[in-house]
Amino acid sequence: MPRGARLDAPGALHHVMARGIERRVIFADDRDRDTFLDRLGGALTRSGTPCYAWALMSNHLHLILRTRPDRAERMDPLEVVRRWRSVFPVRRGKPPALEPEARKYHP
């Protein structure tokens, strides 16, 4: 069962974790990792979001991010999904897992 939504505080640190469905590989090799880091770096630069640490394993990843105080309260989860899709295109025609969750809190 997924966790409930967490409240965000301006400037808070967040541990972000993502994993492959059924522990499947999401990074097959260093080229996949480099591509991810390039795209992530671009997204972080555009949004002004600081990333303090990351770890990329074959089937999951961890990021330590800090929310920007000026944007923490106005980010709509559906906008997050839209931006995520623009940086990390949906593969195999499956929507991101967080979209239904976002709709639950913002109809």
Side-chain angles (χ1 to χ4, degrees):
M1 177 177 217
R3 295 177 188 226
R6 295 183 182 165
L7 297 177
D8 191 9
L13 281 174
H14 294 276
H15 172 222
V16 177
M17 188 177 99
R19 63 177 66 192
I21 297 170
E22 298 175 350
R23 298 184 180 177
R24 291 185 188 150
V25 170
I26 58 174
F27 301 113
D29 54 28
D30 286 341
R31 182 174 174 221
D32 285 349
R33 288 177 186 85
D34 290 341
T35 299
F36 174 82
L37 290 174
D38 287 343
R39 290 179 175 188
L40 177 66
L44 293 173
T45 299
R46 284 189 301 279
S47 69
T49 303
C51 180
Y52 294 97
W54 68 86
L56 307 179
M57 281 65 74
S58 62
N59 67 345
H60 70 287
L61 65 92
H62 298 267
L63 305 171
I64 303 295
L65 306 173
R66 184 177 300 278
T67 7
R68 282 184 42 193
D70 62 325
R71 299 185 66 168
E73 295 177 10
R74 61 181 187 170
M75 281 299 275
D76 175 19
L78 291 176
E79 178 65 11
V80 171
V81 171
R82 188 190 68 73
R83 289 181 183 193
W84 179 267
R85 283 183 174 169
S86 72
V87 176
F88 303 102
V90 177
R91 291 186 180 178
R92 297 180 205 94
K94 295 180 182 178
L98 73 104
E99 186 171 0
E101 278 299 303
R103 285 197 174 135
K104 185 179 354 177
Y105 299 107
H106 293 295

